[in-house]
C-alpha cells in the first residue's frame, strides 16, 4: 500500500517499532549474477563475443553472460559498468548466485536524485558507432545502483517476513564504487517527533520521494505527493538541455486511463 504523509503517519502509529528507509525516485531494478550464466533472452542463450589474442592471432569466442540488470519495465542490460562491478564483487566473495533489488539512479548538478526522467534521459541517449546505434557511454556511466532489498544469495531465498536488519547486513558486502546501499532508521513508539524530523530530512534536505516502512512483516510506502505512472513516448531532441546531455527538456507521455 501507498499513503500520503498524514495517512502514512497514522498507519505507522499502529506499530511499536518501524524500520524506515528512503524512497528513492529512480527506476526499480534487479541485478542478477549467476556464475554459470544460462540467461535466456527471446529463446536464445545470452552470450557475448569476446576477442582474444593468441600466438597465431586474434580469435573470437562466445562466453556466457553472467550478470544482468533488469528494470521493472522489462529492459535487460549487461556488460556495463554496473553489471561488471557487481560480477567482480560476487566473484571475490565466492558467491555462485545473487539476486538483489535496488533503484537505478542518476544525480543532477546539485547532487540530488534526478528522478526517473533522469534515468530515461540517459537510456534514451544513443549515438552512431560504425554502422550500429550504441548507448552514450559517457552519460550511461553516470548511472548508479542503490541496493534496497535482497531476494536470493546462493541457495537461500529471502522474503518480506525475514528481518530487514539481517538482509541489510548481508547487502553491505555488495557495495562498491557505483553500487551503494540505502540507509535505514529504527523508530520506536512513541515516535511522532522523530518521524516528522526524519521526514523533513529525507524529503526536504535529501530530496527523496518519501519513506519505505517495514513493520511486523508488512511493508508500505509514504510519499510526499500522489504520483502517476507514465511512459515517455517522445522527447524534444532539439532542446538545449537534451543536446548538453543534462536531461529531458520536454517530453510526451502516455498514461493508462481507467
Amino acid at each position: 500500500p501507498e499513503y500520503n504523509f498524514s495517512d502514512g503517519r497514522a498507519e505507522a502509529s499502529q506499530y511499536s517499532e518501524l524500520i524506515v528507509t528512503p524512497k528513492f525516485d529512480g527506476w526499480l531494478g534487479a541485478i542478477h549474477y549467476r556464475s554459470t550464466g544460462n540467461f535466456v533472452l527471446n529463446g536464445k542463450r545470452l552470450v557475448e563475443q569476446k576477442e582474444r589474442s593468441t600466438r597465431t592471432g586474434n580469435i573470437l569466442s562466445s562466453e556466457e553472460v553472467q550478470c544482468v540488470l533488469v528494470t521493472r519495465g522489462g529492459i535487460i542490460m549487461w556488460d556495463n559498468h554496473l553489471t561488471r562491478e557487481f560480477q567482480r564483487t560476487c566473484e571475490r566473495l565466492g558467491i555462485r548466485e545473487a539476486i538483489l533489488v535496488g533503484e537505478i539512479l542518476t544525480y543532477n548538478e546539485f547532487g540530488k536524485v534526478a528522478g526517473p526522467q533522469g534515468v530515461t534521459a540517459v537510456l534514451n541517449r544513443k549515438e552512431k558507432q560504425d554502422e550500429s546505434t550504441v548507448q552514450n557511454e559517457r552519460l550511461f556511466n553516470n548511472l548508479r545502483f542503490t541496493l534496497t532489498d535482497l531476494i536470493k544469495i546462493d541457495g537461500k531465498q529471502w522474503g518480506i517476513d525475514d528481518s530487514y536488519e539481517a538482509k541489510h547486513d548481508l547487502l553491505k558486502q555488495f557495495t562498491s564504487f557505483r553500487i551503494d546501499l540505502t540507509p535505514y532508521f529504527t523508530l520506536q513508539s512513541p515516535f511522532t517527533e522523530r518521524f516528522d524530523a526524519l521526514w523533513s530530512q529525507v524529503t526536504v534536505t535529501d530530496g527523496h520521494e518519501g519513506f519505505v516502512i517495514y513493520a511486523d512483516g508488512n511493508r508500505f510506502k509514504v510519499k510526499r505527493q500522489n504520483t502517476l505512472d507514465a511512459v515517455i513516448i517522445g522527447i524534444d531532441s532539439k532542446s538545449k538541455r537534451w543536446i548538453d546531455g543534462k536531461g529531458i527538456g520536454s517530453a510526451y507521455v502516455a498514461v493508462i486511463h481507467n
Side-chain angles (χ1 to χ4, degrees), residues 62-81:
S62 297
E63 295 185 1
E64 293 272 353
V65 171
Q66 295 175 286
C67 188
V68 296
L69 177 61
V70 184
T71 72
R72 184 180 183 179
I75 297 175
I76 302 173
M77 297 173 277
W78 64 93
D79 192 24
N80 57 60
H81 64 291

Side-chain angles (χ1 to χ4, degrees), residues 5 10 46 56 65 83 93 113 132 144 155 161 194 205 213 256:
F5 174 71
L46 203 53
T56 58
V65 171
T83 57
L93 295 171
V113 173
S132 60
R144 299 292 183 265
D161 294 329
R194 177 62 174 141
T205 304
I213 297 179
I256 298 176

Side-chain angles (χ1 to χ4, degrees), residues 29-36 39 65-70 77-104 140 143-154 158 167 170-181:
I31 194 163
H32 186 179
Y33 166 77
R34 188 160 53 208
S35 61
T36 57
F39 292 108
V65 171
Q66 295 175 286
C67 188
V68 296
L69 177 61
V70 184
M77 297 173 277
W78 64 93
D79 192 24
N80 57 60
H81 64 291
L82 294 174
T83 57
R84 288 191 294 267
E85 205 164 288
F86 186 66
Q87 179 172 333
R88 286 193 297 268
T89 298
C90 291
E91 291 171 344
R92 175 177 57 81
L93 295 171
I95 290 173
R96 300 184 304 277
E97 184 175 19
I99 308 174
L100 310 184
V101 176
E103 291 276 344
I104 305 170
F140 193 88
L143 294 180
R144 299 292 183 265
F145 193 64
T146 297
L147 302 172
T148 59
D149 212 340
L150 169 61
I151 295 178
K152 182 179 182 181
I153 298 179
D154 288 335
W158 300 78
K167 290 191 288 185
L170 285 172
L171 287 171
K172 290 178 182 176
Q173 64 189 323
F174 295 97
T175 59
S176 55
F177 178 62
R178 296 181 180 90
I179 299 176
D180 60 6
L181 176 60

